Amino acid sequence: MNAIPTPDHLVWTTPSPVSNATITNGHVDVNWMDGKSHRFHPFWLRDNCACSDCLHQGTREQLLDIRQVPLDIVALSVSRDDEGAVKVCFSDGHESRFHPGWLWFHAEQSWALAPLESIYWTQSSLTEPPSFDGPSAMSDDAVMHEALTAFEQHGILRLRRMPTERGTVESFALSLGPVRETQFERVFNVISLADADSNAYTSDALSGHVDLPTWEATPGIQILHCLENSVEGGESVMIDGFAIAAHLKNNEPEIFEILTTVCWSHSSRKLDTGYRWRAPIVEMGPAGEFANIRLAAFSRDPLQVDSALVDASYRALRRFLDLMEDSRFRMVYPFAPGDLVMFDNRRVMHGRNAYDLNSGNRHLQGIYLDRDSARAKRRVIEQQQLRRSISEVQAK
Amino acid sequence: MNAIPTPDHLVWTTPSPVSNATITNGHVDVNWMDGKSHRFHPFWLRDNCACSDCLHQGTREQLLDIRQVPLDIVALSVSRDDEGAVKVCFSDGHESRFHPGWLWFHAEQSWALAPLESIYWTQSSLTEPPSFDGPSAMSDDAVMHEALTAFEQHGILRLRRMPTERGTVESFALSLGPVRETQFERVFNVISLADADSNAYTSDALSGHVDLPTWEATPGIQILHCLENSVEGGESVMIDGFAIAAHLKNNEPEIFEILTTVCWSHSSRKLDTGYRWRAPIVEMGPAGEFANIRLAAFSRDPLQVDSALVDASYRALRRFLDLMEDSRFRMVYPFAPGDLVMFDNRRVMHGRNAYDLNSGNRHLQGIYLDRDSARAKRRVIEQQQLRRSISEVQAK
């Protein structure tokens, strides 16, 4: 589809045509018609050559061993060819052609095709999960794309009017990506049990928590699908852990500092399961972004920290718990049969109000995925839409 | 089994009996017969009360809402009861009993039941994977425990003389924990294919890499099981990424700094898969430990970093790649039919030498798990052994 190769399978548009390109100290300067200009490093360009010597044309995997490229390589000349490619001759004798749109996106964005930015929410900014018609999302990629976008931004999504058949949650999950199995059942049933081995399987209230903080590899996504709900009470409670973290970062930096550095261990309480992991309640990513929230009061282990930090650690934990109970941070809504709620289990803490066992039946089915699959599905839809729209333009 | 309750299901031994216990400024000082002494924080003790008001006796989940405990709580008195428990009366009127062994381990260790410490290895310290007899490991928990201990320390393990039936890799994996499914098959076959969509499925050499660095949730464990191998060449190459990281940390700190801070993106190259993640090549954990190695030359995306860092980023990448090719860091060994090799896919990079397609057949089956399951299985065996040995002592 691209006449000019790129080191991937992707379609790249060109937001602005190239005005001209020049060499400065061995680097390539590209000036665009819209007035922007970008400088490209010669080693970087050489590394990304997409010719058949440097890149396997089928698998799009690199063949070039970059250890063989001189670190002091320079661009000797730059020109544009008839197809619009930016053509560069290097001091190692190699010649490469670059797609202008591919160049533009890699220079202009900090991370091409990055995850969407989180939008933190509170009770006042988001009173219920972003909601879409389930059957439409399943049949129309444009609706699914909108739904997955909302999910990635808010960490929560509700599809309504889904079938109320058992197993629906698994077929939906598989439309996104592989299921994440855990020590629970692949598809687990949330109902009230007489011999519950966890409060989850009673009719008691459940305070906000993430599932499986006991794993280093805590599943990134949880989906709960309501088959039946005729009980009084049992409303879902959702809390944006990133919103609480942002609030504390801005307003109570000493508390925030403790939450991002003091490690708490969580362990599975079931006899003869040995899952156990330790990490800060708020884990930060390499770019200073919020990466994970890890807290479940009922599987929290004894604090093990330098004695000088015990007071501050409990103070920070209690402050976080207080904000979780603060109505400003709590989204509370009922589950209707056919509702499927998908949430980021490493960001959004979930809980429920108690319900009256004698007032009716309540049956949810749940499953886990990883965040990667929801992002991947969104990107695939975007690429397919882009390919379609380019084909349509070309067909005219 | 413990007459004295602990806030878990676990068995705790008592390395040394309590000599005496006293109160200092509201904290509890426990002096042990072996001369050690530990001070316990009153809020910490109160938080870990295992009585039936504070802890659900069946699920071992906390019932106490620690937000209701005064932050300035103190211990008023401490004594020992007839069963050997350390009994504490608190200023909120509550009385708790603590198991001395549980107290000892939580005071003495930085993290009770922590993961085992990594032992970094090079070609000279470990010439082949720590190896055990497969059928023995499957039938004898003591052998399995030894094998899992070696795995956790070295990030690699080989079981020999396993059955050469298809699916063996899955039944072995399930003996540890849930399978981690990905965009590949649940059990994938590594054979040479005519229409390979990845170099993995050719007979070409594969440089060292981790699988699925394209996922935020990269699987922590990979298992490869050899069903058939009669080709010339095709030796496995294993590289301890943590050993390289440690070498650079000690000897080339500027390189190490770049490797732990500059993010590289990796993306799946297959058409219509959208997996893509960005992180440093060496990811550090919250306690400054090595957490993950993330590098696969063939799915590495264009570097996107501040232009001032381009030179240094490539220099660091090349240095890491150079050490991966340095024989000092490479373990090279042949795959025999029946060999099952399990390795930490977020630490140990794997590759292979090229092989001669016409010289015979080579067929591996592979599967992914998470690190959590191997650690959990080791801990469960330890608890079972401990329970057994205590029963035996009591039976005498």
Side-chain angles (χ1 to χ4, degrees), chain A residues 102-122:
Chain A
W102 180 89
L103 285 174
W104 192 93
F105 276 100
H106 283 85
E108 190 65 20
Q109 300 187 333
S110 65
W111 181 17
L113 307 179
L116 303 180
E117 224 163 290
S118 295
I119 299 173
Y120 310 138
W121 49 265
T122 58

PDB file of all heavy atoms in Angstrom, chain A residues 102-122:
ATOM      1  N   TRP A 102       6.159   8.427   7.690  1.00  0.00           N
ATOM      2  CA  TRP A 102       6.823   7.674   8.764  1.00  0.00           C
ATOM      3  C   TRP A 102       7.823   8.574   9.484  1.00  0.00           C
ATOM      4  O   TRP A 102       7.882   8.595  10.712  1.00  0.00           O
ATOM      5  CB  TRP A 102       7.513   6.445   8.149  1.00  0.00           C
ATOM      6  CG  TRP A 102       8.234   5.578   9.127  1.00  0.00           C
ATOM      7  CD1 TRP A 102       7.727   4.527   9.825  1.00  0.00           C
ATOM      8  CD2 TRP A 102       9.608   5.699   9.520  1.00  0.00           C
ATOM      9  NE1 TRP A 102       8.690   3.992  10.635  1.00  0.00           N
ATOM     10  CE2 TRP A 102       9.854   4.688  10.467  1.00  0.00           C
ATOM     11  CE3 TRP A 102      10.647   6.561   9.165  1.00  0.00           C
ATOM     12  CZ2 TRP A 102      11.100   4.510  11.063  1.00  0.00           C
ATOM     13  CZ3 TRP A 102      11.890   6.395   9.757  1.00  0.00           C
ATOM     14  CH2 TRP A 102      12.110   5.375  10.697  1.00  0.00           C
ATOM     15  N   LEU A 103       8.596   9.360   8.710  1.00  0.00           N
ATOM     16  CA  LEU A 103       9.549  10.300   9.319  1.00  0.00           C
ATOM     17  C   LEU A 103       8.816  11.315  10.197  1.00  0.00           C
ATOM     18  O   LEU A 103       9.216  11.586  11.331  1.00  0.00           O
ATOM     19  CB  LEU A 103      10.330  11.056   8.227  1.00  0.00           C
ATOM     20  CG  LEU A 103      11.433  10.305   7.490  1.00  0.00           C
ATOM     21  CD1 LEU A 103      11.981  11.178   6.356  1.00  0.00           C
ATOM     22  CD2 LEU A 103      12.568   9.907   8.441  1.00  0.00           C
ATOM     23  N   TRP A 104       7.730  11.861   9.645  1.00  0.00           N
ATOM     24  CA  TRP A 104       6.995  12.910  10.353  1.00  0.00           C
ATOM     25  C   TRP A 104       6.515  12.416  11.716  1.00  0.00           C
ATOM     26  O   TRP A 104       6.726  13.054  12.736  1.00  0.00           O
ATOM     27  CB  TRP A 104       5.804  13.376   9.499  1.00  0.00           C
ATOM     28  CG  TRP A 104       5.165  14.640  10.004  1.00  0.00           C
ATOM     29  CD1 TRP A 104       5.455  15.913   9.615  1.00  0.00           C
ATOM     30  CD2 TRP A 104       4.139  14.749  11.005  1.00  0.00           C
ATOM     31  NE1 TRP A 104       4.679  16.810  10.301  1.00  0.00           N
ATOM     32  CE2 TRP A 104       3.864  16.130  11.161  1.00  0.00           C
ATOM     33  CE3 TRP A 104       3.434  13.836  11.776  1.00  0.00           C
ATOM     34  CZ2 TRP A 104       2.907  16.603  12.058  1.00  0.00           C
ATOM     35  CZ3 TRP A 104       2.488  14.302  12.682  1.00  0.00           C
ATOM     36  CH2 TRP A 104       2.230  15.675  12.811  1.00  0.00           C
ATOM     37  N   PHE A 105       5.860  11.225  11.718  1.00  0.00           N
ATOM     38  CA  PHE A 105       5.286  10.732  12.975  1.00  0.00           C
ATOM     39  C   PHE A 105       6.363  10.407  14.010  1.00  0.00           C
ATOM     40  O   PHE A 105       6.185  10.646  15.200  1.00  0.00           O
ATOM     41  CB  PHE A 105       4.397   9.504  12.727  1.00  0.00           C
ATOM     42  CG  PHE A 105       3.006   9.883  12.329  1.00  0.00           C
ATOM     43  CD1 PHE A 105       2.613   9.867  10.994  1.00  0.00           C
ATOM     44  CD2 PHE A 105       2.092  10.303  13.286  1.00  0.00           C
ATOM     45  CE1 PHE A 105       1.329  10.240  10.629  1.00  0.00           C
ATOM     46  CE2 PHE A 105       0.803  10.679  12.926  1.00  0.00           C
ATOM     47  CZ  PHE A 105       0.420  10.645  11.591  1.00  0.00           C
ATOM     48  N   HIS A 106       7.490   9.853  13.553  1.00  0.00           N
ATOM     49  CA  HIS A 106       8.524   9.501  14.531  1.00  0.00           C
ATOM     50  C   HIS A 106       9.240  10.724  15.083  1.00  0.00           C
ATOM     51  O   HIS A 106       9.776  10.690  16.189  1.00  0.00           O
ATOM     52  CB  HIS A 106       9.508   8.486  13.931  1.00  0.00           C
ATOM     53  CG  HIS A 106       8.932   7.103  13.907  1.00  0.00           C
ATOM     54  ND1 HIS A 106       8.136   6.649  12.886  1.00  0.00           N
ATOM     55  CD2 HIS A 106       8.981   6.096  14.815  1.00  0.00           C
ATOM     56  CE1 HIS A 106       7.736   5.414  13.156  1.00  0.00           C
ATOM     57  NE2 HIS A 106       8.230   5.047  14.317  1.00  0.00           N
ATOM     58  N   ALA A 107       9.249  11.818  14.307  1.00  0.00           N
ATOM     59  CA  ALA A 107       9.886  13.037  14.809  1.00  0.00           C
ATOM     60  C   ALA A 107       8.924  13.845  15.671  1.00  0.00           C
ATOM     61  O   ALA A 107       9.321  14.464  16.653  1.00  0.00           O
ATOM     62  CB  ALA A 107      10.363  13.887  13.634  1.00  0.00           C
ATOM     63  N   GLU A 108       7.661  13.808  15.308  1.00  0.00           N
ATOM     64  CA  GLU A 108       6.693  14.720  15.922  1.00  0.00           C
ATOM     65  C   GLU A 108       6.129  14.165  17.227  1.00  0.00           C
ATOM     66  O   GLU A 108       5.781  14.921  18.128  1.00  0.00           O
ATOM     67  CB  GLU A 108       5.565  14.978  14.909  1.00  0.00           C
ATOM     68  CG  GLU A 108       4.605  16.081  15.280  1.00  0.00           C
ATOM     69  CD  GLU A 108       5.267  17.461  15.323  1.00  0.00           C
ATOM     70  OE1 GLU A 108       6.353  17.639  14.722  1.00  0.00           O
ATOM     71  OE2 GLU A 108       4.701  18.339  15.965  1.00  0.00           O
ATOM     72  N   GLN A 109       6.017  12.846  17.334  1.00  0.00           N
ATOM     73  CA  GLN A 109       5.403  12.253  18.516  1.00  0.00           C
ATOM     74  C   GLN A 109       6.483  11.680  19.423  1.00  0.00           C
ATOM     75  O   GLN A 109       7.518  11.233  18.950  1.00  0.00           O
ATOM     76  CB  GLN A 109       4.438  11.136  18.096  1.00  0.00           C
ATOM     77  CG  GLN A 109       3.325  11.653  17.196  1.00  0.00           C
ATOM     78  CD  GLN A 109       2.278  10.602  16.927  1.00  0.00           C
ATOM     79  OE1 GLN A 109       2.570   9.417  16.972  1.00  0.00           O
ATOM     80  NE2 GLN A 109       1.065  11.043  16.657  1.00  0.00           N
ATOM     81  N   SER A 110       6.201  11.682  20.712  1.00  0.00           N
ATOM     82  CA  SER A 110       7.205  11.136  21.621  1.00  0.00           C
ATOM     83  C   SER A 110       7.225   9.612  21.541  1.00  0.00           C
ATOM     84  O   SER A 110       8.209   8.978  21.834  1.00  0.00           O
ATOM     85  CB  SER A 110       6.940  11.593  23.044  1.00  0.00           C
ATOM     86  OG  SER A 110       5.719  11.065  23.491  1.00  0.00           O
ATOM     87  N   TRP A 111       6.098   9.020  21.148  1.00  0.00           N
ATOM     88  CA  TRP A 111       6.064   7.571  20.951  1.00  0.00           C
ATOM     89  C   TRP A 111       4.967   7.267  19.942  1.00  0.00           C
ATOM     90  O   TRP A 111       3.788   7.368  20.264  1.00  0.00           O
ATOM     91  CB  TRP A 111       5.809   6.847  22.274  1.00  0.00           C
ATOM     92  CG  TRP A 111       5.788   5.348  22.162  1.00  0.00           C
ATOM     93  CD1 TRP A 111       6.269   4.577  21.136  1.00  0.00           C
ATOM     94  CD2 TRP A 111       5.238   4.420  23.107  1.00  0.00           C
ATOM     95  NE1 TRP A 111       6.071   3.245  21.394  1.00  0.00           N
ATOM     96  CE2 TRP A 111       5.444   3.111  22.590  1.00  0.00           C
ATOM     97  CE3 TRP A 111       4.609   4.556  24.338  1.00  0.00           C
ATOM     98  CZ2 TRP A 111       5.025   1.968  23.272  1.00  0.00           C
ATOM     99  CZ3 TRP A 111       4.201   3.415  25.005  1.00  0.00           C
ATOM    100  CH2 TRP A 111       4.412   2.133  24.486  1.00  0.00           C
ATOM    101  N   ALA A 112       5.370   6.917  18.728  1.00  0.00           N
ATOM    102  CA  ALA A 112       4.391   6.608  17.697  1.00  0.00           C
ATOM    103  C   ALA A 112       3.531   5.440  18.160  1.00  0.00           C
ATOM    104  O   ALA A 112       4.039   4.439  18.658  1.00  0.00           O
ATOM    105  CB  ALA A 112       5.102   6.256  16.394  1.00  0.00           C
ATOM    106  N   LEU A 113       2.233   5.559  18.012  1.00  0.00           N
ATOM    107  CA  LEU A 113       1.281   4.506  18.382  1.00  0.00           C
ATOM    108  C   LEU A 113       1.344   4.176  19.879  1.00  0.00           C
ATOM    109  O   LEU A 113       1.189   3.033  20.286  1.00  0.00           O
ATOM    110  CB  LEU A 113       1.510   3.240  17.551  1.00  0.00           C
ATOM    111  CG  LEU A 113       1.516   3.450  16.031  1.00  0.00           C
ATOM    112  CD1 LEU A 113       1.783   2.150  15.311  1.00  0.00           C
ATOM    113  CD2 LEU A 113       0.198   4.043  15.580  1.00  0.00           C
ATOM    114  N   ALA A 114       1.591   5.187  20.673  1.00  0.00           N
ATOM    115  CA  ALA A 114       1.652   5.020  22.130  1.00  0.00           C
ATOM    116  C   ALA A 114       0.275   4.664  22.679  1.00  0.00           C
ATOM    117  O   ALA A 114      -0.742   4.867  22.014  1.00  0.00           O
ATOM    118  CB  ALA A 114       2.135   6.318  22.768  1.00  0.00           C
ATOM    119  N   PRO A 115       0.232   4.137  23.916  1.00  0.00           N
ATOM    120  CA  PRO A 115      -1.058   3.996  24.593  1.00  0.00           C
ATOM    121  C   PRO A 115      -1.709   5.373  24.716  1.00  0.00           C
ATOM    122  O   PRO A 115      -1.015   6.389  24.720  1.00  0.00           O
ATOM    123  CB  PRO A 115      -0.678   3.468  25.985  1.00  0.00           C
ATOM    124  CG  PRO A 115       0.674   2.875  25.830  1.00  0.00           C
ATOM    125  CD  PRO A 115       1.348   3.674  24.756  1.00  0.00           C
ATOM    126  N   LEU A 116      -3.019   5.406  24.810  1.00  0.00           N
ATOM    127  CA  LEU A 116      -3.708   6.685  24.980  1.00  0.00           C
ATOM    128  C   LEU A 116      -3.454   7.208  26.386  1.00  0.00           C
ATOM    129  O   LEU A 116      -3.229   6.443  27.318  1.00  0.00           O
ATOM    130  CB  LEU A 116      -5.206   6.496  24.750  1.00  0.00           C
ATOM    131  CG  LEU A 116      -5.563   5.912  23.381  1.00  0.00           C
ATOM    132  CD1 LEU A 116      -7.072   5.756  23.257  1.00  0.00           C
ATOM    133  CD2 LEU A 116      -5.016   6.783  22.250  1.00  0.00           C
ATOM    134  N   GLU A 117      -3.514   8.519  26.502  1.00  0.00           N
ATOM    135  CA  GLU A 117      -3.255   9.100  27.813  1.00  0.00           C
ATOM    136  C   GLU A 117      -4.440   8.862  28.755  1.00  0.00           C
ATOM    137  O   GLU A 117      -5.596   8.951  28.341  1.00  0.00           O
ATOM    138  CB  GLU A 117      -3.006  10.599  27.661  1.00  0.00           C
ATOM    139  CG  GLU A 117      -1.834  11.056  28.500  1.00  0.00           C
ATOM    140  CD  GLU A 117      -1.330  12.415  28.050  1.00  0.00           C
ATOM    141  OE1 GLU A 117      -0.742  12.508  26.948  1.00  0.00           O
ATOM    142  OE2 GLU A 117      -1.555  13.364  28.808  1.00  0.00           O
ATOM    143  N   SER A 118      -4.137   8.588  30.015  1.00  0.00           N
ATOM    144  CA  SER A 118      -5.199   8.366  30.999  1.00  0.00           C
ATOM    145  C   SER A 118      -5.950   9.660  31.279  1.00  0.00           C
ATOM    146  O   SER A 118      -5.348  10.729  31.353  1.00  0.00           O
ATOM    147  CB  SER A 118      -4.604   7.875  32.325  1.00  0.00           C
ATOM    148  OG  SER A 118      -4.017   6.609  32.164  1.00  0.00           O
ATOM    149  N   ILE A 119      -7.253   9.554  31.426  1.00  0.00           N
ATOM    150  CA  ILE A 119      -8.070  10.663  31.919  1.00  0.00           C
ATOM    151  C   ILE A 119      -8.555  10.241  33.305  1.00  0.00           C
ATOM    152  O   ILE A 119      -9.331   9.295  33.435  1.00  0.00           O
ATOM    153  CB  ILE A 119      -9.277  10.919  30.988  1.00  0.00           C
ATOM    154  CG1 ILE A 119      -8.779  11.297  29.582  1.00  0.00           C
ATOM    155  CG2 ILE A 119     -10.183  12.001  31.573  1.00  0.00           C
ATOM    156  CD1 ILE A 119      -9.893  11.410  28.545  1.00  0.00           C
ATOM    157  N   TYR A 120      -8.036  10.902  34.334  1.00  0.00           N
ATOM    158  CA  TYR A 120      -8.437  10.532  35.694  1.00  0.00           C
ATOM    159  C   TYR A 120      -9.862  11.001  35.926  1.00  0.00           C
ATOM    160  O   TYR A 120     -10.262  12.048  35.433  1.00  0.00           O
ATOM    161  CB  TYR A 120      -7.499  11.176  36.725  1.00  0.00           C
ATOM    162  CG  TYR A 120      -6.036  10.957  36.418  1.00  0.00           C
ATOM    163  CD1 TYR A 120      -5.108  11.984  36.576  1.00  0.00           C
ATOM    164  CD2 TYR A 120      -5.578   9.729  35.951  1.00  0.00           C
ATOM    165  CE1 TYR A 120      -3.768  11.788  36.286  1.00  0.00           C
ATOM    166  CE2 TYR A 120      -4.240   9.527  35.657  1.00  0.00           C
ATOM    167  CZ  TYR A 120      -3.341  10.562  35.824  1.00  0.00           C
ATOM    168  OH  TYR A 120      -2.013  10.378  35.531  1.00  0.00           O
ATOM    169  N   TRP A 121     -10.619  10.241  36.701  1.00  0.00           N
ATOM    170  CA  TRP A 121     -12.006  10.633  36.943  1.00  0.00           C
ATOM    171  C   TRP A 121     -12.368  10.525  38.416  1.00  0.00           C
ATOM    172  O   TRP A 121     -11.758   9.781  39.182  1.00  0.00           O
ATOM    173  CB  TRP A 121     -12.977   9.816  36.093  1.00  0.00           C
ATOM    174  CG  TRP A 121     -12.767   8.323  36.115  1.00  0.00           C
ATOM    175  CD1 TRP A 121     -12.047   7.590  35.215  1.00  0.00           C
ATOM    176  CD2 TRP A 121     -13.271   7.384  37.082  1.00  0.00           C
ATOM    177  NE1 TRP A 121     -12.070   6.259  35.558  1.00  0.00           N
ATOM    178  CE2 TRP A 121     -12.818   6.100  36.694  1.00  0.00           C
ATOM    179  CE3 TRP A 121     -14.064   7.500  38.219  1.00  0.00           C
ATOM    180  CZ2 TRP A 121     -13.124   4.945  37.414  1.00  0.00           C
ATOM    181  CZ3 TRP A 121     -14.375   6.348  38.938  1.00  0.00           C
ATOM    182  CH2 TRP A 121     -13.900   5.088  38.529  1.00  0.00           C
ATOM    183  N   THR A 122     -13.361  11.325  38.756  1.00  0.00           N
ATOM    184  CA  THR A 122     -13.912  11.302  40.107  1.00  0.00           C
ATOM    185  C   THR A 122     -15.418  11.153  39.961  1.00  0.00           C
ATOM    186  O   THR A 122     -15.948  11.149  38.847  1.00  0.00           O
ATOM    187  CB  THR A 122     -13.609  12.613  40.848  1.00  0.00           C
ATOM    188  OG1 THR A 122     -14.172  13.686  40.086  1.00  0.00           O
ATOM    189  CG2 THR A 122     -12.109  12.826  40.993  1.00  0.00           C
TER     190      THR A 122
END
